[in-house]
Amino acid sequence: MGSGVSRGGRRLRLRRFRRFRSASAAVAVLATAGTLTLTACGGGNNGGGGTTVSPRPTPPATESFTGTPPSPLSSAASSAAASARASASAAASSASARADEFEASVSAESERANQEAHDRLAKVPGRGNAASDVSLSGIPRAQVNNLQAAHVNIHNSTDKTANFAVQVDFRDPNGKVVETRYVGAQNVRPGQTVHPYAISHQPPQPTLKPEVAKAERY
């Protein structure tokens, strides 16, 4: 009998232990579920714990931009165009500089010839030996910045290359000489005609009349 009571007591304790283990397992499951719920809902402004998962950033709306970004090809084209414009500008500047230099050399040569003509004619009596080979023709004022000027037409009627010195007097309407200009021409070939300028430095008015005063061939 004692042995039967002992076996019955053990079975009762075993059933109670199993019920207790089952209940503990259920409590553990509930506790775990509660922890997961709190973890998922944690953070915010209440200072609670847990891991906060930041939302994925939203790309900015394209409506906030204007225009289109340049493609590599268009950028390269723009750079090439800018380089071409710079090269063209440099070429134009170089051409302008060469033109200025050429005009300056021509003016310097003309001034030298004119000065030599002045010096030569100072020693020539009368009208000189080439007055018949020189004539004058008018120049539209628009071509000489509204100045009074004339073409000095010098013709070499000899069979040898020669230099010429010409004196041009400008007379006012009363016949008075108000200005004298000297024009030179160098190395005029046989039969050649050259046309240097004689330009007055007087005001546009009154109108002056140019005439050949002297001309010397040498």
Side-chain angles (χ1 to χ4, degrees):
M1 181 176 177
S3 177
V5 173
S6 177
R7 285 195 296 272
R10 284 198 299 273
R11 284 196 295 271
L12 179 60
R13 286 194 298 272
L14 181 60
R15 284 197 296 272
R16 288 177 177 173
F17 174 75
R18 287 174 178 172
R19 283 198 298 271
F20 175 77
R21 188 173 61 180
S22 297
S24 298
V27 169
V29 170
L30 290 175
T32 302
T35 302
L36 290 176
T37 300
L38 291 174
T39 300
C41 298
N45 295 327
N46 57 4
T51 301
T52 302
V53 179
S54 301
R56 183 182 236 175
T58 304
T62 56
E63 292 82 358
S64 62
F65 297 98
T66 57
T68 55
S71 67
L73 183 60
S74 65
S75 296
S78 297
S79 297
S83 177
R85 285 194 297 270
S87 298
S89 178
S93 297
S94 177
S96 177
R98 290 195 305 271
D100 289 344
E101 182 179 357
F102 176 76
E103 290 176 354
S105 75
V106 169
S107 297
E109 179 63 23
S110 297
E111 185 60 30
R112 188 187 66 79
N114 294 348
Q115 183 60 47
E116 183 174 325
H118 174 272
D119 296 341
R120 171 71 59 167
L121 290 173
K123 306 171 185 177
V124 173
R127 298 192 67 214
N129 64 8
S132 61
D133 290 338
V134 179
S135 64
L136 303 178
S137 57
I139 302 173
R141 291 192 176 189
Q143 295 181 11
V144 287
N145 198 23
N146 200 36
L147 297 172
Q148 301 190 69
H151 275 303
V152 181
N153 308 304
I154 302 172
H155 176 69
N156 185 2
S157 60
T158 71
D159 58 358
K160 296 181 179 179
T161 298
N163 300 330
F164 288 81
V166 179
Q167 175 184 326
V168 178
D169 289 343
F170 287 87
R171 295 182 180 271
D172 65 14
N174 298 322
K176 179 183 178 181
V177 176
V178 295
E179 184 177 16
T180 296
R181 306 298 295 176
Y182 295 90
V183 177
Q186 305 289 320
N187 302 315
V188 181
R189 298 188 303 273
Q192 181 185 13
T193 300
V194 295
H195 310 276
Y197 292 106
I199 301 177
S200 171
H201 291 197
Q202 296 296 308
Q205 296 298 331
T207 300
L208 304 178
K209 182 180 179 180
E211 64 177 27
V212 177
K214 287 185 181 182
E216 181 77 1
R217 180 178 56 253
Y218 59 97

